[in-house]
Amino acid sequence: MRSSRSDLLAALGVALAPLFYFLPATRGLTVLCPEDGMFFNVPLRAAAARVVLEGSLPLWNPYIFSGMPLLASAQGGLLFPLNWTYLIFDAPVATNLSVFSSYALAGVGAFLYARRAGSTSAGALVTALVWQWGGFLVAQLAHVNVVQTAAMLPWVLWALDGYVSGHSRGALVSLFVALQAFAGHQQTFAYSLLLVAAYALTSALTDREARARYLRSLAHVAAGLPLAAVQLLPTYELLRLSLRAEATYEFFTSFSLPRRFALTFFAPYVLGGGDGTLYFGEPYTGPPFYVEFIAYAGLLALMLATAALLLGRDARTIFWAAVAVVCFLLALGGHAPLGLSKLVAHVPVINLFRVPARHLMEVEFALAVLAGRGVTALAEARKGRTALVAAGLVFALTCLVVMVFGPVGSSLLNTPERFAPVLVAGASALALWHFARGRRGGAVVLVCVLSVDLLVWGQASGWRTSSPGTDHPLWTEPETVKALRELAPGDPASYRILTAPHWFSPSVAPVPPSVSRSQDWVPWTLPDVYMLYGIHNAAGYDGFGLARYSRLAGEMKVWGELTDPEQTLRGEGREVDILNVRYLLSIRKRENEAGGVGPTTGRWRLATRTGYVDIHENTRVLPRAWLAGEAVALGEEETLAAIRTGRLPGGSLWEPLRTALVETGTPSVSGSGGGSAEVTLYEPNRVELKCRAAAPSTLVLSENHYPGWAAYVDGRPAEVLRVNYNLRGVAMPAGEHHVEFVYRPESALVGLALSLLTALGLILRTAFGQSWRGR
């Protein structure tokens, strides 16, 4: 009874801990979406909610990249229940609720798994705190789908152990695997599945009595995949057509963990950094994106993990120690010894992901589990000498890192924060010794020291200063959106914008470098924020950028940046014209700066200015839909060349309103056709048009061609053509016609059927499995 009460209190404390950790958000001052959270995750989730609340299924996203799959991109975690807050609350409140619940989910899951795996209540609490407040999850706050996917890992392990011990049914394992897939980060999901499979296989080898059940548990893990097929099949289809369909070795090893980041396990700011809140903000000297490389677990956690290895070399402890070592080597990526990364680069699925440093997820979870097992082992053995050895080893390494690897000239006087880890190591050693000797309140002191250590690191890690406040202009209609409403007061689906994260002047060449190479940027030129206001963008930010659209839009990168903006924006090509780009939004070029905005030149006319953004109007913009009287069949490269130069292969001027470029094998059409095409209904998954064709023509819709789109002319099915390299088209007979484009992706329908069948099978097995076994 006492154990159950302490477990309940500890689990409740872990569940409520995010409210304390993220206190500025709890007080309503901050929205927990730093960096990518603000510019990608929140707009994507808010846009999905908009689609649903307006009466459509969240299948297609019309707001970025001239339209792309929404459910299939997975990044929004649309089927993950913790993200449904966006259906009820406005974006700031929904975001904070989603984040609070995600970190609570991570902590409670870790606590329950550790308890089931044999840790005491105090040990499980330590495991939960290290996992919830440690470097990996806190640093990934900007990528909440990473947090949510990782948060499900301990739940899968808890359900798996429960199935093996007879405390729960195997269907629960499948359900948690499916929920993890729904969270929406495929890389973290793949790493987690590998870890779970290794856990089950290793346990089967070391536990003869439970071997059969551990092996059967793998079937339940595998059943989670068809249960999540409604998400996985559309995502697989998108992957095959995205820029990530093939990954080079350089892509695979990008964001490999630098070897020197091993030092940050002992001194998290040994390379500088910190936002100045609790640390003085010594300049960071490491590689860009510190948050991708940090997995600080706390010095006391390292001491406890070491004690676990010294005291209890059981199979489970050895397994988690091996996970920490192997996954750290995998996190090194291209920096790993013995060419390990070149071998891993040949592993299917895994070789599609970049950022090997995200293997730190497994490293940190392993350290969290080992720390909890260390508490349990010390509570049972009460061996002060072992605790002293573990504490002394970590203390010595911490001193070595701080004294030897700190910057030249640092001292206690000029950079006192650099020496904070030594004080933390000393306090952690005393707490460990106090606990190991069985002193009263030892567990409380242990938890307090660990919590303070993780808090001191995490509160200065950057999320406080990079998270927007609840009064940020993003949450009210920005100046640029108001300006666009005034410039084009009609239907927002009648035109697109193109966000350019750089300065632009039609009279000055070359176009300056983009935000990826410049520190001068403003949020209103980042593409996804306009999803919050229903404005359509030819650019976007999504890891699953469509490969063909990227080429069509001037070799556009997955974050919406043009590879050669000079050629695309100032050349004679028609890319932005056929993409219905009416306005270009660029960082405002001040009047008194060299190369100020000049007069209208060629395509672009300065339409208006806001405090930070220049808005240029494209005088050559084409409508969202039109009828072309001619159709010329060209190969892919010839089509791209014609679009980028504005000239057909023979050298004649290409007029998109007159001539549609169709794929080789599609019949060419010559004539003086044409007519009018008017969009009468525009919804995310449906577009209806009224067409009047003077002669047989090709209807061109300035939307991405993608599997799943079907066309109907006067209610009869018609073939959807790929025109102008990657736009949607349909052959149009002479006369007046009603045309519908409807998005019904077969991948989602088949996935839904497979998910429902799997769910039905699991329900039947759960309901009747016991009686079947008894016969």
Side-chain angles (χ1 to χ4, degrees):
M1 180 69 178
R2 183 177 180 182
S3 177
S4 298
R5 183 178 299 172
S6 62
D7 284 355
L8 180 60
L9 290 175
L12 181 62
V14 170
L16 297 177
L19 298 176
F20 172 73
Y21 191 94
F22 299 113
L23 191 58
T26 306
R27 296 174 58 199
L29 303 176
T30 298
V31 183
L32 296 171
C33 57
E35 300 169 351
D36 276 3
M38 179 165 57
F39 303 130
F40 171 55
N41 284 302
V42 170
L44 186 61
R45 285 160 173 74
R50 173 196 293 271
V51 168
V52 172
L53 293 173
E54 290 178 352
S56 299
L57 292 174
L59 299 175
W60 188 259
N61 183 354
Y63 302 116
I64 58 173
F65 292 130
S66 299
M68 68 172 292
L70 179 55
L71 172 67
S73 73
Q75 304 290 324
L78 307 187
L79 300 179
F80 193 66
L82 299 188
N83 293 326
W84 298 347
T85 54
Y86 289 88
L87 295 171
I88 305 171
F89 303 100
D90 59 16
V93 174
T95 299
N96 283 343
L97 290 175
S98 178
V99 170
F100 288 149
S101 56
S102 297
Y103 280 87
L105 185 75
V108 173
F111 178 85
L112 293 177
Y113 164 70
R115 282 296 280 147
R116 182 164 279 177
S119 291
T120 61
S121 183
L125 180 58
V126 165
T127 294
L129 283 175
V130 173
W131 179 233
Q132 188 184 61
W133 289 11
F136 182 82
L137 284 191
V138 172
Q140 292 293 338
L141 177 59
H143 308 127
V144 70
N145 51 349
V146 173
V147 174
Q148 292 172 338
T149 308
M152 289 303 304
L153 169 60
W155 288 96
V156 175
L157 294 172
W158 174 75
L160 190 149
D161 275 353
Y163 167 73
V164 171
S165 63
H167 288 94
S168 61
R169 299 297 181 90
L172 193 60
V173 179
S174 305
L175 175 62
F176 285 155
V177 169
L179 284 173
Q180 191 174 36
F182 292 157
H185 196 261
Q186 298 79 17
Q187 181 180 20
T188 311
F189 178 58
Y191 291 174
S192 177
L193 278 187
L194 287 175
L195 177 59
V196 170
Y199 180 84
L201 287 172
T202 303
S203 298
L205 291 173
T206 57
D207 189 342
R208 290 186 178 183
E209 293 183 2
R211 179 172 299 171
R213 292 186 68 82
Y214 270 116
L215 292 176
R216 284 200 298 270
S217 72
L218 288 171
H220 291 287
V221 172
L225 299 179
L227 188 60
V230 65
Q231 176 67 75
L232 296 179
L233 288 187
T235 299
Y236 176 70
E237 178 181 61
L238 175 57
L239 173 66
R240 290 171 48 241
L241 300 173
S242 76
L243 290 167
R244 297 197 176 188
E246 297 180 0
T248 63
Y249 178 74
E250 289 71 22
F251 177 88
F252 169 69
T253 56
S254 60
F255 295 96
S256 294
L257 180 70
R259 294 184 184 182
R260 56 181 167 161
F261 257 79
L263 305 176
T264 62
F265 281 96
F266 301 93
Y269 294 117
V270 70
L271 302 176
D275 63 8
T277 304
L278 298 175
Y279 282 75
F280 298 146
E282 185 179 341
Y284 176 60
T285 59
F289 305 108
Y290 168 86
V291 294
E292 291 288 5
F293 303 128
I294 187 67
Y296 185 64
L299 295 175
L300 185 50
L302 295 182
M303 294 176 182
L304 288 167
T306 304
L309 288 171
L310 294 174
L311 287 173
R313 298 189 186 92
D314 59 285
R316 193 62 60 85
T317 298
I318 292 173
F319 170 79
W320 287 114
V323 166
V325 173
V326 171
C327 291
F328 178 78
L329 291 175
L330 292 174
L332 291 174
H335 305 305
L338 305 176
L340 177 64
S341 61
K342 293 184 178 180
L343 295 176
V344 179
H346 294 289
V347 178
V349 181
I350 298 300
N351 59 6
L352 296 177
F353 302 117
R354 62 175 187 163
V355 198
R358 287 182 182 155
H359 278 292
L360 290 172
M361 174 192 71
E362 303 101 281
V363 176
E364 182 141 313
F365 187 73
L367 291 175
V369 173
L370 288 172
R373 296 181 76 82
V375 171
T376 302
L378 285 171
E380 294 173 351
R382 295 300 181 191
K383 290 188 176 181
R385 182 176 298 178
T386 302
L388 191 61
V389 171
L393 179 61
V394 173
F395 182 83
L397 288 173
T398 303
C399 291
L400 180 67
V401 167
V402 170
M403 301 298 182
V404 176
F405 297 98
V408 177
S410 64
S411 69
L412 187 61
L413 292 178
N414 60 19
T415 54
E417 73 274 17
R418 180 58 61 87
F419 296 88
V422 176
L423 298 178
V424 173
S428 299
L430 290 175
L432 186 60
W433 172 255
H434 187 77
F435 175 76
R437 294 295 300 273
R439 301 292 176 83
R440 179 178 297 181
V444 174
V445 173
L446 203 73
V447 170
C448 288
V449 171
L450 176 65
S451 300
V452 170
D453 183 11
L454 294 174
L455 274 172
V456 168
W457 167 76
Q459 297 299 310
S461 62
W463 65 264
R464 295 169 63 98
T465 54
S466 56
S467 292
T470 51
D471 58 348
H472 192 280
L474 183 68
W475 313 125
T476 56
E477 193 170 78
E479 280 188 332
T480 51
V481 173
K482 293 178 181 177
L484 289 169
R485 305 270 194 231
E486 293 174 359
L487 290 170
D491 184 3
S494 64
Y495 70 93
R496 289 194 180 93
I497 64 171
L498 177 64
T499 45
H502 50 69
W503 294 305
F504 174 75
S505 170
S507 62
V508 176
V511 173
S514 73
V515 66
S516 66
R517 297 183 297 274
S518 171
Q519 295 181 353
D520 196 356
W521 62 275
V522 296
W524 316 125
T525 58
L526 298 179
D528 283 14
V529 298
Y530 291 93
M531 282 195 286
L532 289 167
Y533 302 98
I535 294 176
H536 296 215
N537 199 338
Y541 180 15
D542 191 293
F544 284 110
L546 294 172
R548 287 187 71 100
Y549 181 76
S550 170
R551 298 195 70 194
L552 171 62
E555 300 293 345
M556 184 176 286
K557 299 177 182 179
V558 295
W559 53 88
E561 178 188 328
L562 295 170
T563 299
D564 187 357
E566 167 66 14
Q567 170 63 31
T568 304
L569 300 179
R570 285 172 39 86
E572 296 301 317
R574 304 303 303 272
E575 303 100 302
V576 296
D577 305 333
I578 65 174
L579 293 178
N580 189 220
V581 173
R582 183 173 176 183
Y583 298 107
L584 174 70
L585 277 64
S586 62
I587 295 176
R588 179 174 175 180
K589 190 72 172 178
R590 305 298 179 181
E591 294 279 5
N592 59 353
E593 291 177 324
V597 175
T600 302
T601 303
R603 172 185 296 157
W604 302 105
R605 178 186 69 85
L606 181 62
T608 190
R609 298 181 122 170
T610 69
Y612 299 97
V613 173
D614 287 336
I615 301 180
H616 288 84
E617 184 173 9
N618 181 9
T619 60
R620 295 178 0 195
V621 62
L622 299 184
R624 185 62 63 99
W626 67 89
L627 289 173
E630 297 182 352
V632 177
L634 298 176
E636 289 186 14
E637 297 305 320
E638 290 178 311
T639 300
L640 276 177
I643 293 172
R644 290 174 178 171
T645 63
R647 297 192 174 274
L648 295 171
S652 60
L653 189 68
W654 176 50
E655 299 178 16
L657 290 176
R658 178 180 177 182
T659 305
L661 307 178
V662 296
E663 294 181 310
T664 302
T666 304
S668 298
V669 177
S670 299
S672 56
S676 63
E678 177 187 357
V679 176
T680 58
L681 175 68
Y682 191 99
E683 296 176 350
N685 307 318
R686 175 184 293 271
V687 181
E688 296 184 10
L689 305 97
K690 181 171 65 177
C691 299
R692 296 184 180 89
S697 308
T698 301
L699 170 64
V700 180
L701 181 64
S702 183
E703 302 272 339
N704 267 319
H705 184 280
Y706 190 82
W709 279 100
Y712 300 88
V713 178
D714 298 326
R716 293 185 294 273
E719 180 185 3
V720 178
L721 304 176
R722 193 196 301 270
V723 299
N724 296 347
Y725 193 72
N726 203 53
L727 299 184
R728 237 175 281 159
V730 67
M732 189 63 50
E736 186 171 323
H737 303 282
H738 177 260
V739 182
E740 295 175 89
F741 288 93
V742 181
Y743 185 54
R744 295 195 187 103
E746 183 178 330
S747 58
L749 293 174
V750 173
L752 178 60
L754 187 55
S755 293
L756 292 176
L757 286 173
T758 304
L760 179 61
L762 291 171
I763 291 171
L764 291 175
R765 178 174 176 79
T766 300
F768 302 107
Q770 189 65 40
S771 61
W772 290 343
R773 285 193 294 270
R775 292 179 181 178

